[in-house]
Amino acid sequence: VQLQASGGGLVQAGGSLRLSCAASGQTISTYAVAWFRLAPGKERELVAAVSGNGGATYYADSGQGRFTISRDNAKNMVYLQMDALKPEDTAVYYCSADSWAAVVTARGQYWGQGTQVTVSS
């Protein structure tokens, strides 16, 4: 599976962005997908995850109530809608796919290349 993350950019605090993770090579419907972020000087952080059928989701406290993860298996896509963005959300965001246990522990087999999100104050 090849993953391509996109949708990042520069936005003012309080704004919104929708990140996309496009999968190719095989159907992504059997894989859980997680979004991680990496900011300078900080450890990689699991932001959100969604199970293969979309029935289960996880959100880190940092994004709870502001971020929404979703997927469209027919399009082989996973999305991260980010609202009410804060400067501390600034980071490179990556998507990863594998089993649920693997992705939520950052041991996913498949990773996208990352997309930069910058939130200005």
Side-chain angles (χ1 to χ4, degrees), residues 65-106:
R66 300 186 299 124
F67 295 176
T68 304
I69 191 169
S70 63
R71 64 191 301 156
D72 185 340
N73 286 338
K75 296 182 178 179
N76 245 15
M77 298 287 293
V78 175
Y79 306 99
L80 183 68
Q81 177 68 40
M82 304 189 295
D83 299 317
L85 283 163
K86 305 174 182 180
E88 50 263 45
D89 294 318
T90 295
V92 178
Y93 285 71
Y94 301 86
C95 55
S96 177
D98 206 326
S99 67
W100 179 270
V103 295
V104 297
T105 55

Side-chain angles (χ1 to χ4, degrees), residues 30-66:
T30 59
Y31 295 107
V33 175
W35 284 96
F36 289 83
R37 66 187 182 186
L38 183 62
K42 296 184 179 180
E43 293 186 356
R44 180 173 51 191
E45 177 187 11
L46 172 63
V47 175
V50 61
S51 62
N53 64 5
T57 56
Y58 165 85
Y59 295 96
D61 289 344
S62 57
Q64 189 72 250
R66 300 186 299 124

Side-chain angles (χ1 to χ4, degrees), residues 1 72 112-113:
V1 176
D72 185 340
Q113 85 292 356

